[in-house]
Amino acid sequence: MRVGWIGTGLMGEPMARRLLAAGHRLAVYNRTPSRTRKLVAAGAGAAGSVAEAVAGNEVVVTMVALPADVEQVFLGPGGVLAHAAPGSVVVDCSTSSPELARRLAEQGAERDVAVLDAPVSGGPAGAEAGTLSIMAGGDAEAYARVRPLLAAVAATVVHHGPPGSGQLAKLVNQTLVAGATLAVCEAYALAHRVGLDPELVRESTRVGVAGSPLFDFLWTRLAAGDLEPGFKLDHFIKDLALVREAAGESPLPGVGLVTELAERARAGRGGGRGTQALVTAIMERAR
Ligand code: NAP
């Protein structure tokens, strides 16, 4: 397929690389152009603008950051919907607002462009290995057309229903991620406090009932004192806000607590660190 790819960050870059490896032809655009260098060296075409990435392509994939960024990339001047070819499919893989996903699908339909929401789970390692899980929403016929493309980056692709339902499924996933991230960071703080060797704890825990890919990923980084992001605090806090919005009046006490800790971990140190930095807020609270 001829694909326009927008957003080559921690997730977008390895996802785009898998599509290239699967034989698709890509035109890649990133706001900071230097971040497309590796993909261009691997055979992708360089697009100098969103319009250039979109023009003439049968499929466009966006992988940006916050709902405001998605809105800007789709609806801003020179945005995706102004340039997408009639009959094309645009797939937003960012974790974004279900309400925005519905609005983009409606505005796309007015121009004969199908807009699907297709957020992902699995982190940069899953993107590199092509083992992501994709939660899709939107027009079923358009979904069927791009499913083979999505399967090049994912082990599992599920269509949840109408526009916005992929984002809703991802927010359910992020509710689980919130609880699991808190659990791993809290357990790490305890292991540290009682003087256990984190590597030995990892060895005995990972194969038991409490083991998980998220445990492995976060614990390994914590044990190495590495707070670089696989998943940025800024994006975690964005997801938690979307979860609370989706829940409306229904209380989600765990999500409230994780939000408070994540905001404390971000305060004064920026949101570019990884979610494992939650441990700093837990340890500071203990002091
Ligand atoms: P990232 O490394 O920060 O990359 C974000 C990308 O979006 C960058 O290429 C950035 O361009 C671009 N961008 C941001 N705002 C933009 C704007 N207004 N206009 C144009 N481009 C813009 O983030 P990421 O970790 O890849 O995450 C991307 C999305 O996937 C987020 O919605 C995140 O919540 C979700 N997600 C992340 C993970 C994970 O583990 N990392 C897992 C699942 C889902 P620049 O290079 O110019 O900044």
Side-chain angles (χ1 to χ4, degrees), residues 73-85:
V73 165
F74 273 78
L75 303 176
V80 171
L81 287 189
H83 296 280

Side-chain angles (χ1 to χ4, degrees), residues 26-168:
L26 261 65
V28 292
Y29 167 79
N30 196 59
R31 182 178 58 181
T32 307
S34 59
R35 295 198 181 121
T36 60
R37 221 174 271 146
K38 281 192 208 153
L39 286 167
V40 171
S49 63
V50 167
E52 239 179 77
V54 171
N57 283 320
E58 50 196 318
V59 180
V60 173
V61 182
T62 54
M63 189 49 157
V64 293
L66 315 178
D69 301 315
V70 174
E71 189 159 11
Q72 189 191 341
V73 165
F74 273 78
L75 303 176
V80 171
L81 287 189
H83 296 280
S88 63
V89 183
V90 186
V91 185
D92 182 30
C93 289
S94 328
T95 305
S96 176
S97 139
E99 183 277 324
L100 176 59
R102 283 178 216 119
R103 198 147 46 86
L104 295 178
E106 269 170 33
Q107 298 200 19
E110 287 166 13
R111 298 165 164 86
D112 189 25
V113 173
V115 180
L116 303 177
D117 45 306
V120 311
S121 178
E128 234 148 80
T131 56
L132 293 175
S133 171
I134 297 189
M135 300 138 196
D139 180 74
E141 189 267 330
Y143 167 75
R145 272 163 60 201
V146 298
R147 201 185 184 289
L149 189 85
L150 301 178
V153 296
T156 306
V157 189
V158 176
H159 185 240
H160 286 273
S165 58
Q167 294 294 353
L168 287 172

Side-chain angles (χ1 to χ4, degrees), residues 183-211:
V184 173
C185 291
E186 202 165 56
Y188 186 85
L190 176 63
H192 184 263
R193 189 176 176 79
V194 299
L196 286 171
D197 177 340
E199 189 41 47
L200 293 179
V201 176
R202 191 180 82 86
E203 200 182 322
S204 59
T205 301
R206 64 191 303 269
V207 292
V209 73

Side-chain angles (χ1 to χ4, degrees), residues 228-279:
E228 285 301 305
F231 181 38
K232 292 177 181 171
L233 268 179
D234 269 342
H235 296 170
F236 191 35
I237 290 169
K238 169 260 297 180
D239 290 0
L240 294 167
L242 291 169
V243 167
R244 294 196 308 278
E245 200 177 305
E249 297 297 304
S250 317
L252 295 174
V255 169
L257 173 59
V258 178
T259 302
E260 185 195 318
L261 290 166
E263 282 173 350
R264 207 174 295 173
R266 177 169 70 170
R269 284 163 296 207
R273 297 188 303 162
T275 49
Q276 66 274 29
L278 207 70
V279 81

